[in-house]
mmCIF file of all heavy atoms in Angstrom:
data_model
loop_
_atom_site.group_PDB
_atom_site.id
_atom_site.type_symbol
_atom_site.label_atom_id
_atom_site.label_comp_id
_atom_site.label_asym_id
_atom_site.label_seq_id
_atom_site.Cartn_x
_atom_site.Cartn_y
_atom_site.Cartn_z
ATOM 1 N N MET A 249 8.653 -2.256 -15.170
ATOM 2 C CA MET A 249 7.884 -1.058 -15.005
ATOM 3 C C MET A 249 8.812 0.041 -14.508
ATOM 4 O O MET A 249 9.631 -0.175 -13.637
ATOM 5 C CB MET A 249 6.760 -1.314 -13.989
ATOM 6 C CG MET A 249 6.041 -0.082 -13.607
ATOM 7 S SD MET A 249 4.787 -0.169 -12.290
ATOM 8 C CE MET A 249 4.663 -1.821 -11.821
ATOM 9 N N ARG A 250 8.681 1.207 -15.056
ATOM 10 C CA ARG A 250 9.485 2.346 -14.631
ATOM 11 C C ARG A 250 8.549 3.424 -14.134
ATOM 12 O O ARG A 250 7.530 3.716 -14.754
ATOM 13 C CB ARG A 250 10.309 2.853 -15.803
ATOM 14 C CG ARG A 250 11.156 4.025 -15.434
ATOM 15 C CD ARG A 250 11.980 4.472 -16.609
ATOM 16 N NE ARG A 250 12.655 5.699 -16.246
ATOM 17 C CZ ARG A 250 13.328 6.429 -17.071
ATOM 18 N NH1 ARG A 250 13.420 6.071 -18.328
ATOM 19 N NH2 ARG A 250 13.910 7.513 -16.672
ATOM 20 N N PHE A 251 8.876 3.996 -12.998
ATOM 21 C CA PHE A 251 8.109 5.126 -12.510
ATOM 22 C C PHE A 251 9.038 6.072 -11.785
ATOM 23 O O PHE A 251 10.112 5.703 -11.349
ATOM 24 C CB PHE A 251 6.933 4.693 -11.629
ATOM 25 C CG PHE A 251 7.326 3.952 -10.385
ATOM 26 C CD1 PHE A 251 7.486 4.617 -9.186
ATOM 27 C CD2 PHE A 251 7.509 2.584 -10.403
ATOM 28 C CE1 PHE A 251 7.839 3.939 -8.041
ATOM 29 C CE2 PHE A 251 7.853 1.894 -9.264
ATOM 30 C CZ PHE A 251 8.023 2.582 -8.074
ATOM 31 N N MET A 252 8.626 7.307 -11.698
ATOM 32 C CA MET A 252 9.444 8.350 -11.081
ATOM 33 C C MET A 252 8.822 8.754 -9.756
ATOM 34 O O MET A 252 7.607 8.870 -9.635
ATOM 35 C CB MET A 252 9.511 9.576 -11.997
ATOM 36 C CG MET A 252 10.004 9.302 -13.395
ATOM 37 S SD MET A 252 11.777 9.294 -13.574
ATOM 38 C CE MET A 252 12.222 10.932 -13.194
ATOM 39 N N VAL A 253 9.673 8.962 -8.769
ATOM 40 C CA VAL A 253 9.271 9.484 -7.469
ATOM 41 C C VAL A 253 10.228 10.622 -7.159
ATOM 42 O O VAL A 253 11.447 10.455 -7.239
ATOM 43 C CB VAL A 253 9.358 8.400 -6.372
ATOM 44 C CG1 VAL A 253 9.043 8.986 -5.018
ATOM 45 C CG2 VAL A 253 8.421 7.248 -6.684
ATOM 46 N N ASN A 254 9.694 11.765 -6.835
ATOM 47 C CA ASN A 254 10.519 12.930 -6.523
ATOM 48 C C ASN A 254 10.780 12.979 -5.021
ATOM 49 O O ASN A 254 9.847 12.986 -4.229
ATOM 50 C CB ASN A 254 9.814 14.204 -6.985
ATOM 51 C CG ASN A 254 10.664 15.429 -6.748
ATOM 52 O OD1 ASN A 254 11.880 15.373 -6.802
ATOM 53 N ND2 ASN A 254 10.017 16.551 -6.480
ATOM 54 N N LEU A 255 12.045 12.984 -4.640
ATOM 55 C CA LEU A 255 12.447 13.142 -3.239
ATOM 56 C C LEU A 255 12.983 14.556 -3.074
ATOM 57 O O LEU A 255 14.093 14.854 -3.508
ATOM 58 C CB LEU A 255 13.523 12.132 -2.860
ATOM 59 C CG LEU A 255 13.097 10.677 -2.847
ATOM 60 C CD1 LEU A 255 14.308 9.764 -2.739
ATOM 61 C CD2 LEU A 255 12.143 10.430 -1.716
ATOM 62 N N PRO A 256 12.210 15.435 -2.451
ATOM 63 C CA PRO A 256 12.681 16.812 -2.268
ATOM 64 C C PRO A 256 13.944 16.853 -1.407
ATOM 65 O O PRO A 256 14.122 16.002 -0.531
ATOM 66 C CB PRO A 256 11.514 17.495 -1.559
ATOM 67 C CG PRO A 256 10.325 16.638 -1.843
ATOM 68 C CD PRO A 256 10.855 15.246 -1.958
ATOM 69 N N PRO A 257 14.819 17.827 -1.634
ATOM 70 C CA PRO A 257 16.029 17.948 -0.825
ATOM 71 C C PRO A 257 15.686 17.990 0.667
ATOM 72 O O PRO A 257 14.735 18.662 1.068
ATOM 73 C CB PRO A 257 16.648 19.272 -1.291
ATOM 74 C CG PRO A 257 16.108 19.468 -2.665
ATOM 75 C CD PRO A 257 14.726 18.882 -2.646
ATOM 76 N N GLY A 258 16.433 17.237 1.456
ATOM 77 C CA GLY A 258 16.226 17.220 2.900
ATOM 78 C C GLY A 258 15.187 16.234 3.388
ATOM 79 O O GLY A 258 15.058 16.007 4.580
ATOM 80 N N SER A 259 14.425 15.624 2.473
ATOM 81 C CA SER A 259 13.411 14.661 2.899
ATOM 82 C C SER A 259 14.069 13.324 3.209
ATOM 83 O O SER A 259 15.126 13.002 2.683
ATOM 84 C CB SER A 259 12.323 14.489 1.839
ATOM 85 O OG SER A 259 12.859 13.883 0.694
ATOM 86 N N THR A 260 13.427 12.558 4.071
ATOM 87 C CA THR A 260 13.982 11.262 4.442
ATOM 88 C C THR A 260 13.135 10.108 3.943
ATOM 89 O O THR A 260 13.460 8.952 4.170
ATOM 90 C CB THR A 260 14.127 11.147 5.969
ATOM 91 O OG1 THR A 260 12.848 11.330 6.564
ATOM 92 C CG2 THR A 260 15.100 12.187 6.497
ATOM 93 N N GLY A 261 12.028 10.389 3.269
ATOM 94 C CA GLY A 261 11.189 9.317 2.755
ATOM 95 C C GLY A 261 10.054 9.855 1.918
ATOM 96 O O GLY A 261 9.784 11.057 1.890
ATOM 97 N N VAL A 262 9.412 8.934 1.225
ATOM 98 C CA VAL A 262 8.267 9.280 0.389
ATOM 99 C C VAL A 262 7.396 8.037 0.270
ATOM 100 O O VAL A 262 7.899 6.915 0.270
ATOM 101 C CB VAL A 262 8.723 9.784 -0.999
ATOM 102 C CG1 VAL A 262 9.446 8.707 -1.764
ATOM 103 C CG2 VAL A 262 7.564 10.324 -1.802
ATOM 104 N N ASP A 263 6.082 8.218 0.244
ATOM 105 C CA ASP A 263 5.158 7.109 0.020
ATOM 106 C C ASP A 263 4.819 7.028 -1.459
ATOM 107 O O ASP A 263 4.705 8.053 -2.137
ATOM 108 C CB ASP A 263 3.853 7.313 0.798
ATOM 109 C CG ASP A 263 4.042 7.196 2.298
ATOM 110 O OD1 ASP A 263 4.934 6.445 2.728
ATOM 111 O OD2 ASP A 263 3.294 7.850 3.038
ATOM 112 N N PHE A 264 4.662 5.809 -1.966
ATOM 113 C CA PHE A 264 4.231 5.639 -3.343
ATOM 114 C C PHE A 264 3.439 4.351 -3.448
ATOM 115 O O PHE A 264 3.546 3.471 -2.610
ATOM 116 C CB PHE A 264 5.414 5.640 -4.327
ATOM 117 C CG PHE A 264 6.396 4.528 -4.120
ATOM 118 C CD1 PHE A 264 6.265 3.332 -4.825
ATOM 119 C CD2 PHE A 264 7.437 4.666 -3.233
ATOM 120 C CE1 PHE A 264 7.172 2.306 -4.639
ATOM 121 C CE2 PHE A 264 8.360 3.643 -3.051
ATOM 122 C CZ PHE A 264 8.220 2.459 -3.749
ATOM 123 N N GLU A 265 2.616 4.272 -4.465
ATOM 124 C CA GLU A 265 1.792 3.094 -4.705
ATOM 125 C C GLU A 265 2.254 2.391 -5.961
ATOM 126 O O GLU A 265 2.683 3.028 -6.918
ATOM 127 C CB GLU A 265 0.321 3.491 -4.861
ATOM 128 C CG GLU A 265 -0.286 4.035 -3.591
ATOM 129 C CD GLU A 265 -1.758 4.359 -3.750
ATOM 130 O OE1 GLU A 265 -2.393 3.852 -4.683
ATOM 131 O OE2 GLU A 265 -2.256 5.131 -2.929
ATOM 132 N N VAL A 266 2.167 1.073 -5.943
ATOM 133 C CA VAL A 266 2.495 0.263 -7.111
ATOM 134 C C VAL A 266 1.174 -0.261 -7.664
ATOM 135 O O VAL A 266 0.466 -0.999 -6.986
ATOM 136 C CB VAL A 266 3.423 -0.915 -6.743
ATOM 137 C CG1 VAL A 266 3.681 -1.788 -7.951
ATOM 138 C CG2 VAL A 266 4.716 -0.399 -6.148
ATOM 139 N N PRO A 267 0.796 0.160 -8.880
ATOM 140 C CA PRO A 267 -0.480 -0.287 -9.427
ATOM 141 C C PRO A 267 -0.472 -1.795 -9.720
ATOM 142 O O PRO A 267 0.534 -2.340 -10.177
ATOM 143 C CB PRO A 267 -0.636 0.521 -10.714
ATOM 144 C CG PRO A 267 0.746 0.928 -11.078
ATOM 145 C CD PRO A 267 1.528 1.025 -9.800
ATOM 146 N N THR A 268 -1.571 -2.440 -9.424
ATOM 147 C CA THR A 268 -1.730 -3.864 -9.718
ATOM 148 C C THR A 268 -3.045 -4.054 -10.456
ATOM 149 O O THR A 268 -3.904 -3.176 -10.473
ATOM 150 C CB THR A 268 -1.733 -4.712 -8.440
ATOM 151 O OG1 THR A 268 -2.795 -4.263 -7.596
ATOM 152 C CG2 THR A 268 -0.413 -4.591 -7.691
ATOM 153 N N VAL A 269 -3.197 -5.208 -11.065
ATOM 154 C CA VAL A 269 -4.413 -5.529 -11.802
ATOM 155 C C VAL A 269 -5.123 -6.667 -11.081
ATOM 156 O O VAL A 269 -4.524 -7.715 -10.833
ATOM 157 C CB VAL A 269 -4.088 -5.945 -13.256
ATOM 158 C CG1 VAL A 269 -5.345 -6.356 -13.990
ATOM 159 C CG2 VAL A 269 -3.382 -4.818 -13.982
ATOM 160 N N ARG A 270 -6.375 -6.449 -10.728
ATOM 161 C CA ARG A 270 -7.151 -7.484 -10.049
ATOM 162 C C ARG A 270 -7.650 -8.484 -11.082
ATOM 163 O O ARG A 270 -8.126 -8.111 -12.143
ATOM 164 C CB ARG A 270 -8.324 -6.840 -9.333
ATOM 165 C CG ARG A 270 -9.198 -7.847 -8.639
ATOM 166 C CD ARG A 270 -10.345 -7.165 -7.962
ATOM 167 N NE ARG A 270 -10.188 -7.438 -6.542
ATOM 168 C CZ ARG A 270 -10.918 -6.917 -5.610
ATOM 169 N NH1 ARG A 270 -11.834 -6.044 -5.912
ATOM 170 N NH2 ARG A 270 -10.730 -7.235 -4.366
ATOM 171 N N ASP A 271 -7.484 -9.759 -10.753
ATOM 172 C CA ASP A 271 -7.999 -10.803 -11.625
ATOM 173 C C ASP A 271 -8.590 -11.912 -10.765
ATOM 174 O O ASP A 271 -8.640 -11.799 -9.545
ATOM 175 C CB ASP A 271 -6.910 -11.340 -12.568
ATOM 176 C CG ASP A 271 -5.718 -11.916 -11.816
ATOM 177 O OD1 ASP A 271 -5.868 -12.329 -10.645
ATOM 178 O OD2 ASP A 271 -4.632 -11.971 -12.405
ATOM 179 N N GLN A 272 -9.025 -12.975 -11.372
ATOM 180 C CA GLN A 272 -9.672 -14.073 -10.656
ATOM 181 C C GLN A 272 -8.735 -15.251 -10.418
ATOM 182 O O GLN A 272 -9.161 -16.326 -10.031
ATOM 183 C CB GLN A 272 -10.909 -14.545 -11.447
ATOM 184 C CG GLN A 272 -11.941 -13.460 -11.666
ATOM 185 C CD GLN A 272 -12.467 -12.888 -10.365
ATOM 186 O OE1 GLN A 272 -12.740 -13.618 -9.417
ATOM 187 N NE2 GLN A 272 -12.582 -11.567 -10.310
ATOM 188 N N VAL A 273 -7.440 -15.048 -10.649
ATOM 189 C CA VAL A 273 -6.467 -16.121 -10.529
ATOM 190 C C VAL A 273 -5.810 -16.058 -9.152
ATOM 191 O O VAL A 273 -5.233 -15.032 -8.778
ATOM 192 C CB VAL A 273 -5.388 -16.007 -11.631
ATOM 193 C CG1 VAL A 273 -4.364 -17.109 -11.495
ATOM 194 C CG2 VAL A 273 -6.039 -16.030 -13.007
ATOM 195 N N ALA A 274 -5.900 -17.149 -8.384
ATOM 196 C CA ALA A 274 -5.221 -17.216 -7.089
ATOM 197 C C ALA A 274 -3.731 -17.422 -7.334
ATOM 198 O O ALA A 274 -3.336 -18.311 -8.084
ATOM 199 C CB ALA A 274 -5.785 -18.351 -6.255
ATOM 200 N N GLU A 275 -2.911 -16.582 -6.736
ATOM 201 C CA GLU A 275 -1.468 -16.647 -6.948
ATOM 202 C C GLU A 275 -0.743 -16.579 -5.611
ATOM 203 O O GLU A 275 -1.243 -15.989 -4.660
ATOM 204 C CB GLU A 275 -1.016 -15.480 -7.828
ATOM 205 C CG GLU A 275 -1.660 -15.482 -9.199
ATOM 206 C CD GLU A 275 -1.313 -14.239 -9.983
ATOM 207 O OE1 GLU A 275 -1.663 -13.142 -9.542
ATOM 208 O OE2 GLU A 275 -0.685 -14.392 -11.036
ATOM 209 N N PRO A 276 0.437 -17.148 -5.553
ATOM 210 C CA PRO A 276 1.236 -17.007 -4.334
ATOM 211 C C PRO A 276 1.757 -15.572 -4.220
ATOM 212 O O PRO A 276 1.654 -14.789 -5.168
ATOM 213 C CB PRO A 276 2.383 -17.992 -4.553
ATOM 214 C CG PRO A 276 2.504 -18.113 -6.035
ATOM 215 C CD PRO A 276 1.108 -17.946 -6.563
ATOM 216 N N ALA A 277 2.311 -15.254 -3.071
ATOM 217 C CA ALA A 277 2.902 -13.931 -2.881
ATOM 218 C C ALA A 277 3.981 -13.694 -3.930
ATOM 219 O O ALA A 277 4.704 -14.613 -4.320
ATOM 220 C CB ALA A 277 3.487 -13.823 -1.481
ATOM 221 N N GLU A 278 4.070 -12.461 -4.404
ATOM 222 C CA GLU A 278 5.089 -12.077 -5.372
ATOM 223 C C GLU A 278 5.912 -10.960 -4.763
ATOM 224 O O GLU A 278 5.436 -10.235 -3.886
ATOM 225 C CB GLU A 278 4.441 -11.617 -6.671
ATOM 226 C CG GLU A 278 3.617 -12.719 -7.339
ATOM 227 C CD GLU A 278 2.862 -12.220 -8.536
ATOM 228 O OE1 GLU A 278 1.782 -11.630 -8.345
ATOM 229 O OE2 GLU A 278 3.347 -12.418 -9.654
ATOM 230 N N SER A 279 7.133 -10.804 -5.224
ATOM 231 C CA SER A 279 7.983 -9.759 -4.664
ATOM 232 C C SER A 279 8.253 -8.680 -5.702
ATOM 233 O O SER A 279 8.128 -8.894 -6.905
ATOM 234 C CB SER A 279 9.296 -10.346 -4.159
ATOM 235 O OG SER A 279 10.018 -10.905 -5.229
ATOM 236 N N ILE A 280 8.620 -7.511 -5.187
ATOM 237 C CA ILE A 280 8.967 -6.381 -6.035
ATOM 238 C C ILE A 280 10.241 -5.767 -5.476
ATOM 239 O O ILE A 280 10.441 -5.720 -4.267
ATOM 240 C CB ILE A 280 7.810 -5.355 -6.086
ATOM 241 C CG1 ILE A 280 8.138 -4.229 -7.044
ATOM 242 C CG2 ILE A 280 7.466 -4.841 -4.709
ATOM 243 C CD1 ILE A 280 6.980 -3.298 -7.315
ATOM 244 N N ARG A 281 11.128 -5.355 -6.374
ATOM 245 C CA ARG A 281 12.361 -4.678 -5.978
ATOM 246 C C ARG A 281 12.467 -3.384 -6.754
ATOM 247 O O ARG A 281 12.189 -3.344 -7.953
ATOM 248 C CB ARG A 281 13.588 -5.537 -6.297
ATOM 249 C CG ARG A 281 13.681 -6.784 -5.483
ATOM 250 C CD ARG A 281 14.911 -7.587 -5.825
ATOM 251 N NE ARG A 281 16.091 -6.805 -5.451
ATOM 252 C CZ ARG A 281 17.276 -6.919 -6.039
ATOM 253 N NH1 ARG A 281 17.457 -7.767 -7.021
ATOM 254 N NH2 ARG A 281 18.289 -6.203 -5.640
ATOM 255 N N ARG A 282 12.892 -2.351 -6.082
ATOM 256 C CA ARG A 282 13.119 -1.059 -6.721
ATOM 257 C C ARG A 282 14.459 -0.531 -6.256
ATOM 258 O O ARG A 282 14.804 -0.625 -5.086
ATOM 259 C CB ARG A 282 12.026 -0.042 -6.337
ATOM 260 C CG ARG A 282 10.683 -0.390 -6.897
ATOM 261 C CD ARG A 282 10.675 -0.106 -8.391
ATOM 262 N NE ARG A 282 9.539 -0.755 -8.995
ATOM 263 C CZ ARG A 282 9.596 -1.453 -10.101
ATOM 264 N NH1 ARG A 282 10.719 -1.598 -10.731
ATOM 265 N NH2 ARG A 282 8.545 -2.015 -10.609
ATOM 266 N N ALA A 283 15.205 0.006 -7.181
ATOM 267 C CA ALA A 283 16.499 0.594 -6.864
ATOM 268 C C ALA A 283 16.488 2.057 -7.291
ATOM 269 O O ALA A 283 15.807 2.427 -8.249
ATOM 270 C CB ALA A 283 17.615 -0.155 -7.582
ATOM 271 N N LEU A 284 17.220 2.869 -6.572
ATOM 272 C CA LEU A 284 17.295 4.287 -6.913
ATOM 273 C C LEU A 284 18.185 4.481 -8.134
ATOM 274 O O LEU A 284 19.246 3.867 -8.256
ATOM 275 C CB LEU A 284 17.842 5.086 -5.737
ATOM 276 C CG LEU A 284 16.977 5.067 -4.484
ATOM 277 C CD1 LEU A 284 17.676 5.822 -3.364
ATOM 278 C CD2 LEU A 284 15.608 5.651 -4.755
ATOM 279 N N ALA A 285 17.725 5.337 -9.037
ATOM 280 C CA ALA A 285 18.465 5.614 -10.265
ATOM 281 C C ALA A 285 18.411 7.114 -10.545
ATOM 282 O O ALA A 285 17.572 7.834 -10.005
ATOM 283 C CB ALA A 285 17.855 4.841 -11.434
ATOM 284 N N ASP A 286 19.310 7.557 -11.406
ATOM 285 C CA ASP A 286 19.293 8.961 -11.793
ATOM 286 C C ASP A 286 18.298 9.178 -12.940
ATOM 287 O O ASP A 286 17.595 8.252 -13.351
ATOM 288 C CB ASP A 286 20.699 9.439 -12.154
ATOM 289 C CG ASP A 286 21.303 8.731 -13.355
ATOM 290 O OD1 ASP A 286 20.553 8.111 -14.139
ATOM 291 O OD2 ASP A 286 22.541 8.804 -13.513
ATOM 292 N N ARG A 287 18.237 10.387 -13.451
ATOM 293 C CA ARG A 287 17.262 10.709 -14.515
ATOM 294 C C ARG A 287 17.507 9.933 -15.804
ATOM 295 O O ARG A 287 16.635 9.826 -16.648
ATOM 296 C CB ARG A 287 17.263 12.203 -14.798
ATOM 297 C CG ARG A 287 16.697 13.010 -13.666
ATOM 298 C CD ARG A 287 16.560 14.470 -14.062
ATOM 299 N NE ARG A 287 16.063 15.236 -12.958
ATOM 300 C CZ ARG A 287 14.772 15.451 -12.713
ATOM 301 N NH1 ARG A 287 13.876 14.923 -13.514
ATOM 302 N NH2 ARG A 287 14.383 16.166 -11.693
ATOM 303 N N ASP A 288 18.708 9.384 -15.966
ATOM 304 C CA ASP A 288 19.022 8.591 -17.148
ATOM 305 C C ASP A 288 18.837 7.096 -16.905
ATOM 306 O O ASP A 288 19.277 6.271 -17.695
ATOM 307 C CB ASP A 288 20.469 8.854 -17.594
ATOM 308 C CG ASP A 288 20.676 10.301 -18.014
ATOM 309 O OD1 ASP A 288 19.781 10.859 -18.684
ATOM 310 O OD2 ASP A 288 21.728 10.869 -17.659
ATOM 311 N N ALA A 289 18.184 6.748 -15.788
ATOM 312 C CA ALA A 289 17.904 5.359 -15.396
ATOM 313 C C ALA A 289 19.172 4.575 -15.060
ATOM 314 O O ALA A 289 19.173 3.363 -15.096
ATOM 315 C CB ALA A 289 17.078 4.638 -16.452
ATOM 316 N N GLU A 290 20.241 5.281 -14.736
ATOM 317 C CA GLU A 290 21.476 4.620 -14.288
ATOM 318 C C GLU A 290 21.371 4.412 -12.785
ATOM 319 O O GLU A 290 21.074 5.350 -12.039
ATOM 320 C CB GLU A 290 22.700 5.480 -14.619
ATOM 321 C CG GLU A 290 22.939 5.662 -16.104
ATOM 322 C CD GLU A 290 23.331 4.370 -16.792
ATOM 323 O OE1 GLU A 290 24.013 3.539 -16.169
ATOM 324 O OE2 GLU A 290 22.954 4.200 -17.959
ATOM 325 N N LEU A 291 21.601 3.160 -12.330
ATOM 326 C CA LEU A 291 21.515 2.872 -10.905
ATOM 327 C C LEU A 291 22.543 3.683 -10.122
ATOM 328 O O LEU A 291 23.665 3.876 -10.575
ATOM 329 C CB LEU A 291 21.742 1.384 -10.649
ATOM 330 C CG LEU A 291 20.681 0.452 -11.239
ATOM 331 C CD1 LEU A 291 21.026 -0.995 -10.919
ATOM 332 C CD2 LEU A 291 19.301 0.796 -10.721
ATOM 333 N N LEU A 292 22.139 4.165 -8.958
ATOM 334 C CA LEU A 292 23.037 4.921 -8.097
ATOM 335 C C LEU A 292 23.772 3.946 -7.179
ATOM 336 O O LEU A 292 23.140 3.269 -6.367
ATOM 337 C CB LEU A 292 22.239 5.944 -7.280
ATOM 338 C CG LEU A 292 21.499 6.993 -8.103
ATOM 339 C CD1 LEU A 292 20.609 7.838 -7.217
ATOM 340 C CD2 LEU A 292 22.486 7.867 -8.855
ATOM 341 N N PRO A 293 25.085 3.844 -7.314
ATOM 342 C CA PRO A 293 25.834 2.860 -6.522
ATOM 343 C C PRO A 293 25.778 3.170 -5.029
ATOM 344 O O PRO A 293 25.724 4.325 -4.623
ATOM 345 C CB PRO A 293 27.256 2.981 -7.061
ATOM 346 C CG PRO A 293 27.332 4.322 -7.695
ATOM 347 C CD PRO A 293 25.948 4.645 -8.165
ATOM 348 N N GLY A 294 25.754 2.107 -4.229
ATOM 349 C CA GLY A 294 25.774 2.265 -2.783
ATOM 350 C C GLY A 294 24.458 2.708 -2.176
ATOM 351 O O GLY A 294 24.398 3.020 -0.997
ATOM 352 N N ARG A 295 23.400 2.752 -2.965
ATOM 353 C CA ARG A 295 22.093 3.175 -2.461
ATOM 354 C C ARG A 295 21.259 1.958 -2.099
ATOM 355 O O ARG A 295 21.447 0.870 -2.645
ATOM 356 C CB ARG A 295 21.347 4.009 -3.508
ATOM 357 C CG ARG A 295 22.107 5.227 -3.979
ATOM 358 C CD ARG A 295 22.420 6.156 -2.802
ATOM 359 N NE ARG A 295 23.350 7.196 -3.179
ATOM 360 C CZ ARG A 295 23.036 8.467 -3.295
ATOM 361 N NH1 ARG A 295 21.822 8.877 -3.033
ATOM 362 N NH2 ARG A 295 23.953 9.343 -3.645
ATOM 363 N N PRO A 296 20.313 2.112 -1.190
ATOM 364 C CA PRO A 296 19.503 0.960 -0.789
ATOM 365 C C PRO A 296 18.601 0.475 -1.915
ATOM 366 O O PRO A 296 18.207 1.239 -2.797
ATOM 367 C CB PRO A 296 18.663 1.495 0.371
ATOM 368 C CG PRO A 296 18.652 2.977 0.189
ATOM 369 C CD PRO A 296 19.936 3.335 -0.484
ATOM 370 N N VAL A 297 18.302 -0.810 -1.882
ATOM 371 C CA VAL A 297 17.329 -1.408 -2.790
ATOM 372 C C VAL A 297 16.066 -1.642 -1.971
ATOM 373 O O VAL A 297 16.109 -2.223 -0.891
ATOM 374 C CB VAL A 297 17.857 -2.734 -3.373
ATOM 375 C CG1 VAL A 297 16.782 -3.405 -4.203
ATOM 376 C CG2 VAL A 297 19.100 -2.476 -4.211
ATOM 377 N N LEU A 298 14.947 -1.149 -2.457
ATOM 378 C CA LEU A 298 13.669 -1.293 -1.765
ATOM 379 C C LEU A 298 13.034 -2.612 -2.170
ATOM 380 O O LEU A 298 13.032 -2.965 -3.341
ATOM 381 C CB LEU A 298 12.742 -0.135 -2.143
ATOM 382 C CG LEU A 298 13.347 1.257 -2.005
ATOM 383 C CD1 LEU A 298 12.397 2.288 -2.591
ATOM 384 C CD2 LEU A 298 13.668 1.562 -0.564
ATOM 385 N N THR A 299 12.505 -3.346 -1.215
ATOM 386 C CA THR A 299 11.832 -4.601 -1.513
ATOM 387 C C THR A 299 10.459 -4.604 -0.866
ATOM 388 O O THR A 299 10.227 -3.946 0.139
ATOM 389 C CB THR A 299 12.637 -5.809 -1.006
ATOM 390 O OG1 THR A 299 12.791 -5.700 0.410
ATOM 391 C CG2 THR A 299 13.993 -5.886 -1.653
ATOM 392 N N GLY A 300 9.550 -5.344 -1.453
ATOM 393 C CA GLY A 300 8.207 -5.450 -0.909
ATOM 394 C C GLY A 300 7.538 -6.730 -1.393
ATOM 395 O O GLY A 300 8.084 -7.461 -2.211
ATOM 396 N N THR A 301 6.365 -6.984 -0.875
ATOM 397 C CA THR A 301 5.604 -8.179 -1.214
ATOM 398 C C THR A 301 4.229 -7.770 -1.714
ATOM 399 O O THR A 301 3.584 -6.910 -1.120
ATOM 400 C CB THR A 301 5.453 -9.110 0.008
ATOM 401 O OG1 THR A 301 6.758 -9.430 0.476
ATOM 402 C CG2 THR A 301 4.709 -10.371 -0.347
ATOM 403 N N VAL A 302 3.798 -8.377 -2.799
ATOM 404 C CA VAL A 302 2.483 -8.142 -3.372
ATOM 405 C C VAL A 302 1.631 -9.391 -3.093
ATOM 406 O O VAL A 302 2.026 -10.499 -3.424
ATOM 407 C CB VAL A 302 2.558 -7.900 -4.894
ATOM 408 C CG1 VAL A 302 1.181 -7.657 -5.472
ATOM 409 C CG2 VAL A 302 3.483 -6.728 -5.190
ATOM 410 N N LEU A 303 0.489 -9.188 -2.450
ATOM 411 C CA LEU A 303 -0.400 -10.295 -2.097
ATOM 412 C C LEU A 303 -1.723 -10.158 -2.826
ATOM 413 O O LEU A 303 -2.170 -9.046 -3.111
ATOM 414 C CB LEU A 303 -0.668 -10.295 -0.586
ATOM 415 C CG LEU A 303 0.550 -10.360 0.328
ATOM 416 C CD1 LEU A 303 0.116 -10.148 1.770
ATOM 417 C CD2 LEU A 303 1.250 -11.689 0.164
ATOM 418 N N ASP A 304 -2.379 -11.288 -3.105
ATOM 419 C CA ASP A 304 -3.741 -11.251 -3.619
ATOM 420 C C ASP A 304 -4.648 -10.649 -2.545
ATOM 421 O O ASP A 304 -4.448 -10.892 -1.358
ATOM 422 C CB ASP A 304 -4.250 -12.657 -3.939
ATOM 423 C CG ASP A 304 -3.843 -13.130 -5.321
ATOM 424 O OD1 ASP A 304 -3.335 -12.309 -6.100
ATOM 425 O OD2 ASP A 304 -4.036 -14.322 -5.618
ATOM 426 N N GLN A 305 -5.632 -9.878 -2.968
ATOM 427 C CA GLN A 305 -6.617 -9.356 -2.031
ATOM 428 C C GLN A 305 -7.574 -10.450 -1.639
ATOM 429 O O GLN A 305 -7.981 -11.238 -2.501
ATOM 430 C CB GLN A 305 -7.394 -8.209 -2.679
ATOM 431 C CG GLN A 305 -7.167 -6.906 -2.028
ATOM 432 C CD GLN A 305 -8.047 -5.823 -2.627
ATOM 433 O OE1 GLN A 305 -8.732 -6.023 -3.619
ATOM 434 N NE2 GLN A 305 -8.013 -4.685 -2.037
ATOM 435 N N PRO A 306 -7.936 -10.542 -0.364
ATOM 436 C CA PRO A 306 -8.903 -11.584 0.038
ATOM 437 C C PRO A 306 -10.274 -11.349 -0.564
ATOM 438 O O PRO A 306 -10.627 -10.289 -0.934
ATOM 439 C CB PRO A 306 -8.930 -11.474 1.552
ATOM 440 C CG PRO A 306 -8.220 -10.234 1.931
ATOM 441 C CD PRO A 306 -7.495 -9.734 0.729
#
């Protein structure tokens, strides 16, 4: 999945949501990784990689 987030100059963070699809299947926790890239989708070297966990809703 590819999505764009705009970080205005001087900002130190931004909130974003990752869309998920609700289903009836019980699943273990899943992980997501996002890396910063330029407008041509080339990864920016030396930049942090964002990680998170996706859980089923109770």
Side-chain angles (χ1 to χ4, degrees):
M249 171 186 357
R250 180 179 173 188
F251 61 94
M252 305 275 296
V253 176
N254 183 32
L255 293 168
S259 67
T260 58
V262 64
D263 291 330
F264 62 93
E265 293 183 19
V266 177
T268 58
V269 177
R270 178 181 242 173
D271 59 24
Q272 301 301 318
V273 179
E275 299 174 298
E278 298 174 279
S279 63
I280 184 171
R281 293 181 65 208
R282 292 286 165 226
L284 297 176
D286 63 18
R287 291 187 182 270
D288 297 319
E290 295 293 326
L291 295 180
L292 298 173
R295 303 301 169 110
V297 174
L298 309 172
T299 60
T301 303
V302 180
L303 304 172
D304 275 350
Q305 245 185 353

